[in-house]
Amino acid sequence: MEFTKMHGLGNDYVYVNCFRETIDFPSEFAKRISDRHFGIGSDGLVLIGPSSAADFKMEMYNADGSAAKMCGNGIRCVGKYVYDYGLTDKTEITVETESGIKPLCLYVRNQKVEAVCVDMGAPRYNAHSIPILSEKDMIIQEPIEISGKVYRMTGISMGNPHAVVYVEDVWDYPVKAIGPVFEMHPRFPERINVEFCKVIDRSHIEMRVWERGTGETCACGTGACAAAVSSVLNDLTDEEVTVTLLGGELNVRWDRAVNRVYMTGPAARVFDGVL
Ligand SMILES: N[C@H](CCC[C@H](N)C(=O)O)C(=O)O
């Protein structure tokens, strides 16, 4: 079976062209190939296949085999794959996902896609995160008790669930200790992706992420979008921000006039392989 290893800012997945391959048990397969010692090594698995409603279809599975409804870094790499490997010559395509059809704009240089802008659609936020204005020196957010300490979070869905938490120092934060407790908290029956963010100014956020089903990753596209939407809702940033993650930078713009979030960033191919 042929596969391609790709990443978006270090958020790496194994990509399989399901126009040519068949994966009978994708959840088990995702767990096996994601193992960084006994498998290929990745944050999960992305299947690219035909769609009756869009140009292509994307399915995504976390490293623990759980299915995710959307993957921002992954869908940019899908755009790169289908163009670079000749499945399309269009630079405006649509990709069907479990959280709806996403339009992509492919930025090409020397016949290869270097970056992609994804229309991620409308953000959704739970009742606890009704749009609220920050009061002076105070952000009103939903309290949640984690390991005996009360945190405040803003819950945002980008087709997959995210909890956005603001911290003093992102790079020094105990993400691997706090992340899994958030992920498994009874408040989140489907588990949660959690972003630990620091707002630098009204157009710049720093962020690390603990991903549901995978753990800390170098980047999370849907997480960056959730952090941007949360920061606008909490009146901490303007509608367009640069999000700095471990693996690099994404541009996120929430166009509230049309209520759509646009994410732009790179997509990279590492190697082709055969299992
Ligand atoms: N890394 C992905 C998100 C995966 C989300 C997955 N962990 C889940 O929702 O279960 C991204 O770039 O958006």
Side-chain angles (χ1 to χ4, degrees):
M1 188 215 74
E2 294 179 345
F3 68 86
T4 299
K5 189 77 188 323
M6 304 181 83
H7 73 84
L9 299 181
N11 184 206
D12 60 333
Y13 294 97
V14 171
Y15 291 75
V16 178
N17 178 347
C18 293
F19 289 89
R20 298 169 54 170
E21 308 285 355
T22 301
I23 307 291
D24 293 322
F25 304 103
S27 178
E28 288 70 20
F29 184 69
K31 280 176 73 173
R32 180 157 65 86
I33 55 96
S34 296
D35 189 296
R36 295 194 186 275
H37 298 287
F38 298 97
I40 299 167
S42 69
D43 286 336
L45 170 68
V46 174
L47 305 181
I48 303 168
S51 165
S52 57
D55 293 318
F56 299 96
K57 182 173 183 180
M58 173 181 85
E59 288 178 54
M60 184 257 169
Y61 295 84
N62 292 309
D64 70 352
S66 60
K69 290 186 174 173
M70 184 45 197
C71 180
N73 287 315
I75 203 169
R76 295 201 314 275
C77 289
V78 169
K80 175 174 179 61
Y81 183 94
V82 296
Y83 186 90
D84 290 8
Y85 285 76
L87 279 68
T88 185
D89 59 3
K90 298 192 302 182
T91 56
E92 309 262 339
I93 64 171
T94 56
V95 178
E96 178 188 353
T97 74
E98 291 303 313
S99 77
I101 293 174
K102 310 296 179 187
L104 274 62
C105 180
L106 310 179
Y107 299 125
V108 178
R109 188 200 311 237
N110 300 327
Q111 289 85 45
K112 299 291 184 194
V113 171
E114 289 201 334
V116 181
C117 176
V118 185
D119 175 350
M120 302 286 280
R124 294 182 294 283
Y125 29 93
N126 61 34
H128 300 282
S129 301
I130 292 166
I132 43 184
L133 296 180
S134 62
E135 299 180 11
K136 186 176 176 342
D137 300 331
M138 182 173 142
I139 298 172
I140 305 163
Q141 291 178 295
E142 177 183 349
I144 179 168
E145 184 172 329
I146 302 278
S147 307
K149 183 182 170 193
V150 175
Y151 291 75
R152 290 187 175 276
M153 54 154 270
T154 296
I156 302 289
S157 170
M158 292 304 303
N160 55 2
H162 295 269
V164 180
V165 178
Y166 294 97
V167 299
E168 274 309 304
D169 183 337
V170 168
W171 311 120
D172 189 31
Y173 196 77
V175 171
K176 291 182 172 60
I178 307 297
V181 186
F182 251 101
E183 175 186 359
M184 307 308 289
H185 193 283
R187 163 80 177 71
F188 309 113
E190 295 182 347
R191 299 189 286 165
I192 195 92
N193 300 288
V194 53
E195 286 75 30
F196 301 98
C197 303
K198 181 175 176 68
V199 175
I200 304 305
D201 58 40
R202 292 196 68 88
S203 63
H204 186 194
I205 300 172
E206 292 177 344
M207 177 188 120
R208 286 169 66 190
V209 59
W210 178 269
E211 281 199 31
R212 172 178 65 172
T214 295
E216 181 168 16
T217 60
C218 291
C220 181
T222 50
C225 294
V229 169
S230 166
S231 299
V232 173
L233 285 177
N234 285 285
D235 193 24
L236 298 170
T237 66
D238 297 331
E239 293 183 3
E240 181 165 3
V241 292
T242 296
V243 182
T244 300
L245 304 109
L246 283 172
E249 293 188 346
L250 288 173
N251 175 277
V252 180
R253 175 169 64 88
W254 179 18
D255 185 339
R256 298 189 80 176
V258 297
N259 194 27
R260 304 191 79 78
V261 178
Y262 299 93
M263 172 196 63
T264 304
R269 170 191 166 274
V270 184
F271 66 90
D272 295 312
V274 179
L275 266 182

